[in-house]
Amino acid sequence: MIWALSGASTIASQYMIGALRAQEGGTVRWVVSGSEDHARRYAQSHDIPHSGTDLAAALEDPAVEAVYISSTNEKHHAQAMAAIAAGKHVLCEKPLALSVAEAAEMIAAARAAGVTLGVNHHLRHAGSHRAIREAIASGRLGRILSLRVFHAVHLPEHLRGWRLDNPAAGGGVIPDITVHNADTVRFLLQEDPASVIAESAVSGMGQGVEDSAMSVWSMPSGAMVFSHESFTHPHTTSGLEVHGTEGSLIARDVMAQDPKGALELITAAGRSALPFDTTSLYETAVRRFEAAARDGREASASGTDGLKSLMIALAVRDAAQSGTRQSLDYGVAS
Ligand code: NDP
């Protein structure tokens, strides 16, 4: 597929340009950035033939089939709406938008235009997460009692910009990481939280936005979910634990960008390692997105998935700021 990049970002540079090019016929034809100079240098260093500051110019290029949006969060909505209006498929970074109304508008526009809208929730494309989901769905863990997600990281120096000090750009750990945890929990348990309670904190990096959060989610099945995310933890690793009446699954180092980590299943029969596929998460995400776009199907991480993870993250932030339980109503997502 032939792509334009909207946003000359770190994630595109580190993972997504390679993932787009790894597909059959995968071509990155344009990069559009707010800065002419940055766009030109980025294009040169990544061997992208066209660059500029005018998204419309890239969208007018009939060769471009799809747009990958990885600008800062406040730009996702307008750039996606423009790409959809031009008839391009859109793979948008998370959070899909800053508000529920914006995200819902993007989904409606993509449906009306007959293009595929996806969100880059990479974790559901990890072999580890697919193996966990399969273990849960097949009943190996019995009835699920609880799921705990550990997603505290140490934000690398080169990313300590808008995430830490710019609420208008969608900064803060909740839009950044809670959305990923929300998508992961939804993907693994195949249900959506009914309500959340939460606390957030500024613990060393955030300036005007939270850099840490903990929340507890009530699931319709009765399962309890705990989600911990932070930018400020230098020495920990990520992971998740799922506990059921027949078994526990301990997943270490799996809230990650690379296909790594280890899964251990604990049942009455003892402890065993669970194998999983180690294909690149981002290559898998793009492969599935392109297949959906070609077939006119919903993406494997769809606009609706992006909307729901955003709704949950916003509910966590509201719960933390208000000190009250927030109920979730997914009516707008149906
Ligand atoms: P960056 O901070 O690297 O880039 C964001 C924007 O900042 C760029 O698009 C660019 O603006 C601008 N920028 C960056 N460097 C320069 C520069 N040297 N000169 C001028 N402008 C510059 O963002 P990330 O890559 O960390 O995140 C981008 C998006 O991707 C976010 O929405 C984030 O949430 C998401 N993300 C998703 C991940 C995932 O695994 N799914 C992982 C990491 C991020 P412009 O748009 O104008 O080019």
Coordinates of all heavy atoms in Angstrom, one line a residue, residues 232-286:
T232 N 7.4 7.7 35.5 CA 8.5 8.1 36.3 C 9.3 7.0 37.1 O 10.0 7.2 38.0 CB 8.0 9.1 37.4 OG1 7.1 8.3 38.3 CG2 7.3 10.3 36.8
H233 N 9.1 5.7 36.6 CA 9.6 4.6 37.4 C 10.9 4.0 36.7 O 10.8 3.3 35.7 CB 8.6 3.5 37.5 CG 7.4 3.8 38.4 ND1 6.8 5.1 38.5 CD2 6.8 3.1 39.3 CE1 5.9 5.1 39.4 NE2 5.8 3.9 39.9
P234 N 12.1 4.3 37.2 CA 13.3 3.9 36.5 C 13.7 2.5 36.5 O 14.4 2.0 35.6 CB 14.4 4.8 37.1 CG 13.8 5.2 38.4 CD 12.4 5.2 38.3
H235 N 13.2 1.7 37.5 CA 13.8 0.4 37.7 C 12.8 -0.8 37.5 O 13.2 -1.9 37.8 CB 14.5 0.3 39.0 CG 15.5 1.4 39.2 ND1 16.6 1.4 38.4 CD2 15.5 2.4 40.0 CE1 17.3 2.5 38.8 NE2 16.7 3.1 39.7
T236 N 11.6 -0.5 37.1 CA 10.6 -1.6 37.1 C 10.5 -2.2 35.6 O 11.0 -1.7 34.7 CB 9.2 -1.1 37.6 OG1 8.4 -2.3 37.6 CG2 8.6 -0.1 36.6
T237 N 9.8 -3.3 35.5 CA 9.4 -3.8 34.2 C 7.9 -3.9 34.1 O 7.2 -3.8 35.2 CB 9.9 -5.3 33.9 OG1 9.4 -6.1 34.9 CG2 11.4 -5.3 33.9
S238 N 7.4 -4.0 32.9 CA 5.9 -4.0 32.8 C 5.4 -5.4 32.9 O 6.2 -6.4 32.9 CB 5.5 -3.4 31.4 OG 5.8 -4.3 30.4
G239 N 4.1 -5.5 32.9 CA 3.5 -6.9 32.9 C 2.0 -6.8 33.1 O 1.4 -5.8 33.3
L240 N 1.4 -8.0 33.2 CA 0.1 -8.1 33.6 C -0.2 -9.5 34.2 O 0.6 -10.5 33.9 CB -0.9 -7.8 32.5 CG -1.0 -8.7 31.3 CD1 -2.0 -9.9 31.5 CD2 -1.6 -7.8 30.1
E241 N -1.1 -9.6 35.1 CA -1.5 -10.9 35.7 C -3.0 -11.1 35.5 O -3.8 -10.1 35.7 CB -1.2 -10.9 37.2 CG 0.2 -10.7 37.5 CD 0.5 -10.7 39.0 OE1 -0.5 -10.6 39.8 OE2 1.7 -10.7 39.4
V242 N -3.4 -12.3 35.1 CA -4.8 -12.6 35.0 C -5.1 -13.8 36.0 O -4.4 -14.8 35.9 CB -5.3 -13.0 33.6 CG1 -6.8 -13.0 33.5 CG2 -4.6 -12.2 32.6
H243 N -6.0 -13.6 36.8 CA -6.3 -14.7 37.8 C -7.7 -15.2 37.7 O -8.7 -14.4 37.6 CB -6.2 -14.1 39.3 CG -4.8 -13.5 39.5 ND1 -3.7 -14.3 39.6 CD2 -4.4 -12.2 39.5 CE1 -2.6 -13.5 39.8 NE2 -3.0 -12.2 39.7
G244 N -7.8 -16.5 37.5 CA -9.2 -17.1 37.4 C -9.3 -18.2 38.4 O -8.4 -18.6 39.2
T245 N -10.5 -18.8 38.4 CA -10.8 -19.9 39.4 C -10.0 -21.1 39.1 O -9.8 -22.0 40.0 CB -12.3 -20.2 39.4 OG1 -12.7 -20.5 38.0 CG2 -13.2 -19.1 39.9
E246 N -9.5 -21.3 37.9 CA -8.8 -22.6 37.5 C -7.3 -22.3 37.3 O -6.5 -23.3 37.1 CB -9.4 -23.2 36.3 CG -10.9 -23.5 36.4 CD -11.2 -24.4 37.6 OE1 -10.5 -25.4 37.8 OE2 -12.3 -24.1 38.2
G247 N -6.9 -21.1 37.2 CA -5.5 -20.8 36.9 C -5.2 -19.3 36.9 O -6.1 -18.5 36.9
S248 N -3.9 -19.1 37.0 CA -3.4 -17.7 37.0 C -2.4 -17.6 35.8 O -1.6 -18.6 35.6 CB -2.7 -17.3 38.3 OG -3.6 -17.0 39.3
L249 N -2.4 -16.5 35.1 CA -1.4 -16.3 34.1 C -0.6 -15.1 34.4 O -1.1 -14.0 34.6 CB -2.1 -16.1 32.7 CG -1.5 -16.7 31.5 CD1 -2.4 -16.8 30.4 CD2 -0.3 -15.8 31.1
I250 N 0.7 -15.3 34.5 CA 1.6 -14.2 34.9 C 2.4 -13.8 33.6 O 3.2 -14.6 33.1 CB 2.6 -14.6 36.0 CG1 1.9 -15.3 37.1 CG2 3.5 -13.4 36.5 CD1 0.9 -14.5 37.9
A251 N 2.2 -12.6 33.1 CA 2.9 -12.1 31.9 C 3.9 -11.0 32.3 O 3.5 -10.0 32.7 CB 1.8 -11.6 30.9
R252 N 5.2 -11.3 32.1 CA 6.2 -10.4 32.4 C 6.7 -9.6 31.2 O 7.0 -10.3 30.2 CB 7.4 -11.1 33.1 CG 7.0 -11.7 34.5 CD 8.2 -12.2 35.2 NE 7.8 -12.8 36.5 CZ 7.3 -14.0 36.5 NH1 7.3 -14.8 35.5 NH2 6.9 -14.5 37.7
D253 N 6.9 -8.3 31.3 CA 7.5 -7.5 30.3 C 6.8 -7.5 29.0 O 7.4 -7.5 27.9 CB 9.0 -8.1 30.0 CG 10.0 -7.0 29.8 OD1 9.6 -5.8 29.9 OD2 11.1 -7.3 29.4
V254 N 5.5 -7.5 29.0 CA 4.7 -7.7 27.8 C 3.9 -6.4 27.4 O 3.3 -6.3 26.4 CB 3.6 -8.8 27.9 CG1 4.3 -10.2 28.0 CG2 2.7 -8.6 29.0
M255 N 4.0 -5.3 28.3 CA 3.4 -4.0 27.9 C 4.5 -3.2 27.2 O 5.0 -2.2 27.6 CB 2.8 -3.3 29.1 CG 1.9 -4.1 29.9 SD 0.4 -4.7 29.0 CE -0.5 -3.2 28.8
A256 N 4.9 -3.7 26.0 CA 6.1 -3.3 25.4 C 5.9 -3.1 23.9 O 4.9 -3.5 23.3 CB 7.2 -4.3 25.6
Q257 N 6.9 -2.4 23.3 CA 6.8 -2.2 21.8 C 7.4 -3.3 21.0 O 7.1 -3.5 19.9 CB 7.5 -0.9 21.5 CG 6.8 0.3 22.1 CD 7.4 1.6 21.7 OE1 8.5 2.0 22.1 NE2 6.7 2.4 20.9
D258 N 8.2 -4.1 21.7 CA 8.9 -5.2 21.0 C 8.3 -6.5 21.4 O 7.7 -6.6 22.5 CB 10.4 -5.2 21.3 CG 11.0 -3.9 20.8 OD1 10.9 -3.7 19.6 OD2 11.7 -3.2 21.5
P259 N 8.4 -7.6 20.5 CA 7.8 -8.9 20.8 C 8.5 -9.7 21.9 O 9.2 -10.7 21.5 CB 7.7 -9.6 19.5 CG 8.9 -9.0 18.7 CD 9.1 -7.6 19.2
K260 N 8.5 -9.2 23.1 CA 9.3 -9.9 24.1 C 8.5 -10.3 25.3 O 7.3 -10.2 25.3 CB 10.4 -8.9 24.6 CG 9.9 -7.6 25.1 CD 11.1 -6.7 25.5 CE 10.5 -5.4 26.2 NZ 11.6 -4.5 26.6
G261 N 9.1 -10.7 26.4 CA 8.4 -11.1 27.6 C 8.3 -12.6 27.8 O 8.8 -13.4 27.0
A262 N 7.6 -13.0 28.9 CA 7.4 -14.4 29.2 C 6.0 -14.6 29.8 O 5.6 -13.7 30.6 CB 8.5 -14.8 30.1
L263 N 5.4 -15.7 29.5 CA 4.1 -16.0 30.0 C 4.2 -17.3 30.8 O 4.7 -18.3 30.4 CB 3.1 -16.3 28.9 CG 2.9 -15.2 27.8 CD1 1.8 -15.6 26.8 CD2 2.6 -13.8 28.4
E264 N 3.7 -17.3 32.1 CA 3.7 -18.5 32.9 C 2.3 -18.8 33.4 O 1.6 -17.9 33.9 CB 4.6 -18.2 34.1 CG 4.7 -19.5 35.0 CD 5.6 -19.3 36.2 OE1 5.5 -18.2 36.8 OE2 6.3 -20.2 36.6
L265 N 1.9 -20.0 33.1 CA 0.5 -20.5 33.5 C 0.7 -21.3 34.8 O 1.5 -22.2 34.9 CB 0.0 -21.3 32.4 CG -1.4 -21.9 32.6 CD1 -2.5 -20.8 32.6 CD2 -1.8 -22.8 31.4
I266 N -0.1 -20.9 35.8 CA -0.1 -21.6 37.0 C -1.5 -22.2 37.3 O -2.5 -21.5 37.4 CB 0.3 -20.7 38.2 CG1 1.5 -19.9 37.9 CG2 0.4 -21.5 39.5 CD1 1.8 -18.8 38.9
T267 N -1.5 -23.6 37.4 CA -2.8 -24.3 37.7 C -2.5 -25.3 38.7 O -1.4 -25.5 39.2 CB -3.3 -25.0 36.4 OG1 -2.4 -26.0 36.1 CG2 -3.5 -24.0 35.2
A268 N -3.6 -26.1 39.1 CA -3.4 -27.2 40.0 C -2.3 -28.2 39.5 O -1.7 -28.9 40.3 CB -4.7 -27.9 40.3
A269 N -2.1 -28.3 38.2 CA -1.2 -29.2 37.6 C 0.3 -28.7 37.8 O 1.2 -29.4 37.5 CB -1.5 -29.4 36.2
G270 N 0.4 -27.4 38.1 CA 1.8 -26.9 38.3 C 2.0 -25.6 37.4 O 1.1 -25.0 37.0
R271 N 3.3 -25.4 37.2 CA 3.7 -24.2 36.4 C 4.2 -24.6 35.1 O 5.0 -25.5 35.0 CB 4.8 -23.4 37.2 CG 4.3 -22.8 38.5 CD 5.5 -22.2 39.3 NE 5.0 -21.6 40.5 CZ 4.9 -20.3 40.7 NH1 5.2 -19.5 39.7 NH2 4.4 -19.8 41.8
S272 N 3.8 -23.8 34.0 CA 4.3 -24.1 32.7 C 4.5 -22.8 31.9 O 3.7 -21.8 32.1 CB 3.5 -25.1 31.9 OG 2.2 -24.5 31.8
A273 N 5.4 -22.8 31.0 CA 5.6 -21.6 30.2 C 4.6 -21.7 29.0 O 4.4 -22.8 28.5 CB 7.0 -21.5 29.7
L274 N 4.1 -20.6 28.6 CA 3.1 -20.5 27.5 C 3.9 -19.9 26.3 O 4.4 -18.8 26.4 CB 1.9 -19.7 27.9 CG 0.6 -20.0 27.3 CD1 0.2 -21.4 27.7 CD2 -0.4 -19.0 27.8
P275 N 4.0 -20.7 25.2 CA 4.7 -20.1 24.0 C 3.9 -19.1 23.3 O 2.7 -19.1 23.4 CB 5.0 -21.3 23.2 CG 3.9 -22.3 23.5 CD 3.5 -22.0 24.9
F276 N 4.5 -18.2 22.6 CA 3.8 -17.2 21.8 C 4.6 -16.8 20.6 O 5.8 -16.9 20.6 CB 3.3 -16.0 22.6 CG 4.4 -15.3 23.3 CD1 5.1 -14.2 22.7 CD2 4.8 -15.6 24.6 CE1 6.1 -13.5 23.3 CE2 5.8 -14.9 25.2 CZ 6.4 -13.8 24.6
D277 N 3.9 -16.3 19.6 CA 4.5 -15.8 18.3 C 5.2 -14.5 18.6 O 4.8 -13.6 19.3 CB 3.3 -15.6 17.3 CG 3.7 -14.9 16.1 OD1 4.8 -15.3 15.5 OD2 3.0 -14.0 15.6
T278 N 6.4 -14.4 18.0 CA 7.2 -13.2 18.2 C 7.4 -12.3 17.0 O 8.4 -11.6 16.8 CB 8.6 -13.6 18.8 OG1 9.2 -14.5 17.9 CG2 8.5 -14.2 20.2
T279 N 6.4 -12.3 16.1 CA 6.4 -11.3 15.0 C 6.3 -9.9 15.5 O 5.6 -9.7 16.6 CB 5.2 -11.6 14.1 OG1 5.2 -13.0 13.7 CG2 5.3 -10.8 12.8
S280 N 6.9 -9.0 14.8 CA 6.8 -7.5 15.2 C 5.3 -7.1 15.4 O 4.4 -7.4 14.5 CB 7.4 -6.7 14.1 OG 6.8 -5.4 14.1
L281 N 5.0 -6.4 16.5 CA 3.7 -6.0 16.8 C 3.2 -5.0 15.7 O 2.1 -5.1 15.3 CB 3.6 -5.3 18.1 CG 3.7 -6.1 19.4 CD1 5.0 -6.9 19.5 CD2 3.5 -5.2 20.6
Y282 N 4.1 -4.1 15.3 CA 3.7 -3.0 14.4 C 3.5 -3.6 13.0 O 2.6 -3.2 12.3 CB 4.7 -1.9 14.5 CG 4.7 -1.2 15.8 CD1 5.7 -1.5 16.8 CD2 3.7 -0.3 16.2 CE1 5.7 -0.9 18.0 CE2 3.7 0.3 17.4 CZ 4.7 0.0 18.3 OH 4.7 0.6 19.6
E283 N 4.4 -4.5 12.6 CA 4.2 -5.1 11.3 C 2.9 -5.9 11.2 O 2.1 -5.9 10.2 CB 5.3 -6.1 11.0 CG 6.6 -5.3 10.6 CD 7.7 -6.3 10.2 OE1 7.5 -7.4 9.7 OE2 8.9 -5.8 10.4
T284 N 2.5 -6.6 12.3 CA 1.3 -7.3 12.3 C 0.1 -6.3 12.3 O -0.9 -6.6 11.6 CB 1.2 -8.2 13.6 OG1 2.3 -9.0 13.7 CG2 -0.1 -9.0 13.7
A285 N 0.2 -5.2 13.0 CA -0.9 -4.2 13.0 C -1.1 -3.7 11.6 O -2.2 -3.6 11.2 CB -0.5 -3.1 14.0
V286 N 0.0 -3.4 10.9 CA -0.2 -2.8 9.6 C -0.7 -3.8 8.6 O -1.6 -3.5 7.8 CB 1.2 -2.2 9.1 CG1 1.1 -1.7 7.7 CG2 1.6 -1.0 10.0

